[in-house]
Amino acid sequence: MDEMKDLDMNKAKPYGKAINKKSQNAHLTALWLLASLPLAILIYLMMEIRYLGMEHPFQPQNFAAVLGLSVLSCLIHCAKNKHTPGYIRQLILGPSISRIGYMDWLRVLAVALVILVHVLEGAYPALPPDSLSRHIMAGTAGLGLSCNLLFLMLSGALLLGGKEEPLSRFYSRRFLRVALPCFAYYVLYTFYSNGISALVPGNWIHLIRGFLSGGNGDTPHFWLVYVILLCYLASPFFQVMVKHMTTAMLEGLILVIFLLHGLYTYGPLAGFILPDTTFLASWESIFLLGYYCTTDQAMKRYPLFLTAGGLSALLILWTNFISEGFGPFLYNNALPQMFLACALFLFFRKHGKQSFVRLPAILAPISKYSFSILLIHWLSLHRIIGNVFGINGLSFGIGGGILLTFLLTLAISLFIALIYDNTVILCLNSILGHRSRK
């Protein structure tokens, strides 16, 4: 009789666990659905910030659309939460163990520099031409322009050094992870400028055409985004190329890249103008340079790159005290920026296992949402902080204005990225990703 009771109890245990799990899942779903209402209110208020200071009536149809978006987003998050331990933490901070720690630090540095550059560039032209403050700010902005190269080098390092994938899988994944978010943020800029009318179905072709044509006046910083997208297109072929190179061939390629960049940049000063260009002297070569900086051979050249990078930094600062007209010979993919970016990359790599193993929790979200911050920071800086709040780099004195504008831009950009990535882009990825798997 006792054996029968034990048998019945053993049969009841799995059933009890199943009931308990269903109850937990129902409770979790209810919590996520409850969160959709405050999320919808928050998103609607963010949409309305463009009307701050103006009378604008409540739009129930817009709020209903936002509420639908919030409910769908929360249901998707709920489903992910059920199958992913520590999902909420990962949503904000990223994976608990970084795959390549020093690259997380480089992402944070690149984001900080791109914001700082645009804060400074919006401030120092208003200062007297020969003032010390203007020279310092212009020189600092010049050093910060290495951010463009760092973004490209990080992409090249991760993609070219990763596993080979079938072309169809590679392009479909990058469309969902990179191209689609870029377009979604372009749409956000268009909405902020033109209102909800820009998003009606009749304007969708215009939106797509505008994005493929290189953006508009609201997104001048998207030039870098388009360069990154074009490098992604060539990435599978570059990956095969570099992985089949001998060490000597790769070293030779890097030498040719530096020589050609120098020739195309400084040759015209001597009247030497080449009739055509090559990708080895364009931004694609910076993408390849990122891969090179992950190799053992690059670390052997670390003292050389560190010295060249330090001298390049001094050159950039010195020339800004002489004249601001040297930009074409110092910035973008000119040699001083190339040496400086390589020095920064290799410095973080060399000290990655000691000093840059893991990001502090306060910086982890910046690394996780670095690409989205790159996309949205222009709107945060100029349209929200500048136009709505009336704050710029010269407000409250030069030092205070720059610091305040920088921190506000970073904080607002991170906040928008966190919300937008986990609602609009999440839903687009889930819908299109589901269809592509069918």
Side-chain angles (χ1 to χ4, degrees):
M1 192 69 177
D2 292 337
E3 291 179 0
M4 290 295 293
K5 287 183 179 180
D6 291 340
L7 185 60
D8 290 340
M9 289 179 65
N10 289 334
K11 287 181 179 179
K13 283 180 181 179
Y15 178 75
K17 288 181 179 179
I19 294 295
N20 188 41
K21 188 173 182 180
K22 286 183 179 180
S23 176
Q24 289 178 350
N25 288 341
H27 181 66
L28 185 63
T29 303
L31 287 176
W32 276 104
L33 287 175
L34 283 173
S36 63
L37 180 58
L39 177 61
I41 295 172
L42 177 62
I43 295 174
Y44 185 81
L45 291 175
M46 290 171 64
M47 291 171 59
E48 293 296 296
I49 196 172
R50 63 189 297 271
Y51 301 108
L52 197 66
M54 300 181 287
E55 290 187 8
H56 189 257
F58 175 72
Q59 302 290 326
Q61 68 276 16
N62 293 351
F63 182 77
V66 169
L67 182 59
L69 171 70
S70 300
V71 170
L72 179 58
S73 302
C74 287
L75 288 174
I76 295 171
H77 283 301
C78 181
K80 291 176 177 287
N81 194 12
K82 292 175 182 177
H83 302 98
T84 308
Y87 177 73
I88 302 296
R89 174 184 167 83
Q90 290 187 31
L91 201 64
I92 300 172
L93 303 180
S96 57
I97 300 177
S98 176
R99 188 164 60 99
I100 308 176
Y102 75 89
M103 288 193 181
D104 286 338
W105 283 93
L106 281 170
R107 288 189 195 95
V108 173
L109 175 64
V111 165
L113 289 178
V114 75
I115 293 176
L116 179 62
V117 165
H118 289 144
V119 170
L120 292 171
E121 286 181 343
Y124 75 76
L127 297 175
D130 295 324
S131 65
L132 178 63
S133 297
R134 176 168 178 148
H135 289 317
I136 293 174
M137 291 169 68
T140 304
L143 294 176
L145 285 171
S146 58
C147 62
N148 297 326
L149 286 79
L150 288 176
F151 275 113
L152 267 174
M153 291 171 69
L154 282 165
S155 297
L158 289 169
L159 287 177
L160 302 185
K163 295 180 181 178
E164 291 185 28
E165 300 177 66
L167 277 180
S168 58
R169 177 175 171 79
F170 177 87
Y171 286 132
S172 62
R173 291 182 68 185
R174 269 64 196 186
F175 171 78
L176 292 173
R177 294 182 180 183
V178 183
L180 186 63
C182 290
F183 176 69
Y185 274 96
Y186 173 79
V187 171
L188 179 59
Y189 276 91
T190 306
F191 160 76
Y192 196 90
S193 295
N194 304 304
I196 199 70
S197 61
L199 309 183
V200 299
N203 289 329
W204 289 357
I205 296 298
H206 178 73
L207 282 171
I208 295 172
R209 187 185 297 119
F211 176 71
L212 295 177
S213 300
N216 52 42
D218 296 318
T219 55
H221 64 299
F222 264 44
W223 72 266
L224 178 60
V225 175
Y226 292 116
V227 170
I228 293 174
L229 289 176
L230 291 174
C231 287
Y232 271 59
L233 284 176
S235 177
F237 312 105
F238 283 158
Q239 186 181 49
V240 174
M241 179 183 78
V242 297
K243 287 193 174 181
H244 286 81
M245 281 185 168
T246 62
T247 300
M249 288 179 66
L250 182 59
E251 288 260 285
L253 173 66
I254 298 304
L255 179 61
V256 168
I257 286 173
F258 275 95
L259 289 175
L260 286 175
H261 275 275
L263 189 60
Y264 277 94
T265 302
Y266 307 113
L269 294 175
F272 187 76
I273 302 175
L274 294 176
D276 205 352
T277 187
T278 168
F279 79 92
L280 293 177
S282 67
W283 286 104
E284 287 89 343
S285 63
I286 307 301
F287 190 73
L288 293 169
L289 194 59
Y291 168 78
Y292 172 73
C293 285
T294 65
T295 64
D296 293 337
Q297 200 63 26
M299 287 309 303
K300 294 179 181 178
R301 311 292 182 192
Y302 174 68
L304 172 64
F305 279 113
L306 191 64
T307 302
L311 292 174
S312 296
L314 292 175
L315 177 65
I316 291 170
L317 291 172
W318 177 65
T319 51
N320 271 284
F321 274 88
I322 298 175
S323 171
E324 294 173 13
F326 289 106
F329 307 110
L330 299 173
Y331 304 144
N332 294 321
N333 50 350
L335 287 181
Q337 291 293 343
M338 292 174 66
F339 283 123
L340 179 57
C342 286
L344 288 170
F345 196 107
L346 293 175
F347 173 83
F348 277 87
R349 183 185 168 200
K350 180 177 176 61
H351 300 283
K353 293 182 180 179
Q354 291 81 32
S355 305
F356 307 111
V357 178
R358 180 182 293 184
L359 282 170
I362 194 172
L363 297 179
I366 300 173
S367 175
K368 176 175 172 58
Y369 292 98
S370 58
F371 189 62
S372 297
I373 295 174
L374 168 66
L375 293 171
I376 198 59
H377 81 278
W378 190 268
L379 185 144
S380 302
L381 174 60
H382 294 286
R383 303 302 298 274
I384 298 177
I385 297 171
N387 293 353
V388 177
F389 298 156
I391 298 174
N392 59 54
L394 298 180
S395 303
F396 315 109
I398 294 176
I402 291 170
L403 180 61
L404 178 62
T405 307
F406 170 82
L407 292 176
L408 280 175
T409 303
L410 180 60
I412 293 174
S413 300
L414 176 59
F415 181 73
I416 295 175
L418 181 66
I419 299 297
Y420 201 65
D421 282 15
N422 291 294
T423 53
V424 175
I425 294 175
L426 173 73
C427 292
L428 289 173
N429 270 321
S430 298
I431 295 169
L432 295 178
H434 177 72
R435 289 184 176 180
S436 67
R437 289 191 294 268
K438 286 185 175 180

